[in-house]
Amino acid sequence: MGEFVTLETNDGIGTIKLNRPPMNALNTQLQEELRAVAHSAAGDEGVKAVIVYGGEKVFAAGADITEFTKVGYQEMAIRAEALSSAFDAVARIPKPVAAAITGYALGGGCELALACDWRVVADDAKLGQPEIKLGIIPGAGGTQRLARLIGPARAKDLIFSGRMVDAEEALRIGLADRVAPAADVYRTAVELVRPYVTGPSLALRAAKLAVDGGLNLDLASGLALESQLFAGLFATDDRIEGTTAFVEKRKPTFTGR
């Protein structure tokens, strides 16, 4: 679709592929292509689950720092929101999304991985938010999503120090969900999302919205959101099929309607 970001669909799984050698540096063009591809994946009914993949050697080693040397506060105050919202477009894909991480996921690369529902990490990969070493902080969700995922104390450790973590530590602290040999990372991500291809799409959409939306609400408001989404699913064909199949003791066949 774009020069640096493409969407390929195979058996209901859409792969968002980054391809800006050598390190998939996230420049402005790549960010905007990522936004466009994320919207395409969200709106394509043939895409039931998504994998974000940087290739066999590297996921994304961060922003294109050469761009940062040429801008000041006034320009970055405008650009920063666009940067964050491009990654947010990935987070808002209303389908299961897994990041398949090889090599490095640093800075913006780590933030992109954080925008996914799960992270499958190569056993020799490195992850981190090293922005502090440049005299800045993460600006595309790192301070917010990382703290929500692994807790504020651990997030502060990584963000304040700028240090990288290996796959073993990432798994231990909850930054990684699965670890696999580098050659098997993409296949493992496919295995992770494949069950959702034949799942109840509207219920999966509602579940993701309930969890993600509830994190930004107090408990009472989150419970109200959950109740509304729960009730809404009783207008779907998949709810009828799912409950009927349960009563009839057979496997349901969902249609996403």
Side-chain angles (χ1 to χ4, degrees):
M1 299 180 69
E3 180 181 0
F4 300 136
V5 186
T6 58
L7 174 64
E8 299 177 359
T9 304
N10 184 27
D11 293 333
I13 298 174
T15 298
I16 295 176
K17 176 74 179 296
L18 310 182
N19 184 25
R20 187 177 181 237
M23 301 299 286
N24 289 335
L26 303 166
N27 68 349
T28 302
Q29 180 181 339
L30 189 150
Q31 292 158 16
E32 290 309 310
E33 289 182 6
L34 179 66
R35 184 200 308 278
V37 168
H39 288 319
S40 294
D44 188 341
E45 291 190 1
V47 175
K48 302 299 184 181
V50 175
I51 297 172
V52 181
Y53 184 48
E56 297 178 354
K57 295 183 178 180
V58 63
F59 184 71
D64 189 338
I65 305 304
T66 60
E67 291 189 340
F68 287 5
T69 64
K70 303 172 184 177
V71 298
Y73 167 75
Q74 189 171 14
E75 184 177 354
M76 187 52 72
I78 297 172
R79 288 178 54 182
E81 184 177 354
L83 167 63
S84 182
S85 64
F87 288 12
D88 200 47
V90 175
R92 291 180 180 274
I93 295 173
K95 302 165 185 182
V97 181
I101 299 170
T102 56
Y104 294 96
L106 302 176
C110 188
E111 290 173 305
L112 176 56
L114 290 169
C116 302
D117 299 312
W118 305 286
R119 283 145 294 281
V120 179
V121 177
D123 54 11
D124 59 354
K126 303 287 185 182
L127 298 84
Q129 300 286 170
E131 289 90 345
I132 202 76
K133 296 181 179 180
L134 302 175
I136 56 176
I137 65 172
T143 64
Q144 302 305 302
R145 291 194 175 96
L146 187 62
R148 285 167 169 76
L149 182 66
I150 67 174
R154 284 174 170 162
K156 288 173 183 176
D157 168 34
L158 297 188
I159 294 168
F160 289 6
S161 69
R163 70 183 182 88
M164 295 186 290
V165 299
D166 60 19
E168 180 181 358
E169 182 176 1
L171 185 64
R172 177 169 56 81
I173 66 176
L175 181 53
D177 297 286
R178 294 189 184 182
V179 173
D184 296 333
V185 163
Y186 181 78
R187 179 181 57 80
T188 303
V190 169
E191 291 175 354
L192 176 60
V193 302
R194 192 190 303 279
Y196 305 110
V197 171
T198 55
S201 299
L202 294 175
L204 288 167
R205 177 191 294 257
K208 183 167 181 174
L209 181 58
V211 173
D212 290 349
L215 289 173
N216 299 317
L217 302 172
D218 60 80
L219 179 58
S221 299
L223 291 171
L225 172 64
E226 179 188 76
S227 293
Q228 292 170 358
L229 292 167
F230 169 73
L233 292 170
F234 279 73
T236 67
D237 292 344
D238 279 350
R239 188 275 306 174
I240 296 173
E241 169 63 10
T243 54
T244 301
F246 178 84
V247 171
E248 295 176 353
K249 295 181 174 57
R250 60 176 174 81
K251 185 177 180 180
T253 301
F254 295 118
T255 61
R257 296 287 186 270

